[in-house]
Amino acid sequence: QKEVEQDPGPLSVPEGAIVSLNCTYSNSAFQYFMWYRQYSRKGPELLMYTYSSGNKEDGRFTAQVDKSSKYISLFIRDSQPSDSATYLCAMSEAAGNKLTFGGGTRVLVKP
Amino acid sequence: NAGVTQTPKFRVLKTGQSMTLLCAQDMNHEYMYWYRQDPGMGLRLIHYSVGEGTTAKGEVPDGYNVSRLKKQNFLLGLESAAPSQTSVYFCASRSVFPLENNNEQFFGPGTRLTVL
């Protein structure tokens, strides 16, 4: 069983809809949680970063962490075609430690 | 400021051939990483380096070697390529300084390698 599980999708939504993405994990030592966005044939880029449990909002993006359930989420409000990409969750036990990635969820926002 | 660059962008090898992938970063980062990305598998760490002259094994190091002779460069070598090494390879770098998030890794554009 993988340490971090993520539904591969694809997840297809109409423009303007809310996109909901999530990851589950098994390692209770994970403390730092990240979401990376990867456009087709490009390298991943950091989108959101949270420490421990709680919510973090940045514009149209909201990241949530529920450590008791070992579950993290990313919500994209008012989705745009430019949000079409693969979203990877990543986690680490301590700041600066190696990252463990989920397999990524492909998202397609249709105009 | 080019960030992280990778050479080459594409390569096709025959089984048993060797090659070297080059990663360069101009951000003066101490840490550098090599990952491979396969469908549904996410990014898996091959090798990493915490500074010039140092290297360490990651999650899937077999069949690969690395060198970090200069701080800005990190080389990934395949001595005898196998079809199982067909993948997209990403290099990343990170600063050690305690910024708000020193977990952030900056990725290159990737190298698509096919081994026939």
Side-chain angles (χ1 to χ4, degrees), chain B residues 20-89:
Chain B
T20 300
L21 284 67
L22 171 64
C23 176
Q25 53 95 5
D26 61 3
M27 296 174 283
N28 202 34
H29 285 171
E30 291 75 15
Y31 282 56
M32 296 187 75
Y33 306 84
W34 274 109
Y35 293 91
R36 59 178 289 172
Q37 186 175 38
D38 303 292
M41 299 294 290
L43 290 158
R44 292 184 292 169
L45 183 64
I46 304 171
H47 285 282
Y48 65 101
S49 168
V50 301
E52 183 178 320
T54 73
T55 62
K57 294 181 180 180
E59 181 186 353
V60 288
D62 294 341
Y64 305 94
N65 56 75
V66 288
S67 64
R68 182 103 180 264
L69 298 180
K70 293 182 179 181
K71 185 177 184 179
Q72 63 268 32
N73 295 338
F74 196 28
L75 278 64
L76 178 70
L78 285 73
E79 291 185 346
S80 180
S84 61
Q85 294 177 304
T86 294
S87 188
V88 182
Y89 291 85

Side-chain angles (χ1 to χ4, degrees), chain A residues 2 8 32 34 36 38 40-46 49 56 88 92 94-99 101-104, chain B residues 10 31 33 35 37 40-43 45 48 57-58 90 94 100-110 112:
Chain A
K2 293 179 186 177
Y32 294 82
M34 285 137 277
Y36 280 80
Q38 184 177 22
S40 180
R41 297 183 177 268
K42 301 289 186 183
E45 54 181 351
L46 184 66
Y49 162 79
K56 185 173 184 178
L88 300 151
S92 70
N97 267 24
K98 288 176 285 184
L99 299 180
F101 285 85
Chain B
F10 305 93
Y31 282 56
Y33 306 84
Y35 293 91
Q37 186 175 38
M41 299 294 290
L43 290 158
L45 183 64
Y48 65 101
K57 294 181 180 180
F90 287 100
R94 176 174 73 81
E100 179 181 342
N101 169 25
N102 74 348
N103 273 321
E104 181 173 7
Q105 295 184 16
F106 294 83
F107 285 83
R112 291 181 174 273

Side-chain angles (χ1 to χ4, degrees), chain A:
Chain A
Q1 186 180 0
K2 293 179 186 177
E3 207 167 5
V4 179
E5 298 278 0
Q6 190 175 1
D7 188 322
L11 179 62
S12 183
V13 300
E15 183 176 355
I18 295 175
V19 176
S20 175
L21 304 167
N22 59 75
C23 289
T24 58
Y25 62 94
S26 57
N27 184 353
S28 58
F30 285 143
Q31 300 249 42
Y32 294 82
F33 304 92
M34 285 137 277
W35 287 94
Y36 280 80
R37 178 175 61 196
Q38 184 177 22
Y39 290 115
S40 180
R41 297 183 177 268
K42 301 289 186 183
E45 54 181 351
L46 184 66
L47 189 62
M48 295 286 285
Y49 162 79
T50 53
Y51 168 69
S52 195
S53 288
N55 294 0
K56 185 173 184 178
E57 190 173 317
D58 184 3
R60 297 184 296 112
F61 300 90
T62 299
Q64 292 183 349
V65 175
D66 182 351
K67 289 186 66 181
S68 63
S69 301
K70 298 190 182 68
Y71 186 91
I72 69 170
S73 302
L74 177 70
F75 300 97
I76 308 174
R77 292 184 299 279
D78 187 24
S79 59
Q80 305 295 312
S82 58
D83 295 325
S84 297
T86 296
Y87 291 80
L88 300 151
C89 62
M91 310 174 186
S92 70
E93 294 182 10
N97 267 24
K98 288 176 285 184
L99 299 180
T100 301
F101 285 85
T105 300
R106 186 172 164 225
V107 172
L108 180 61
V109 181
K110 295 183 176 181

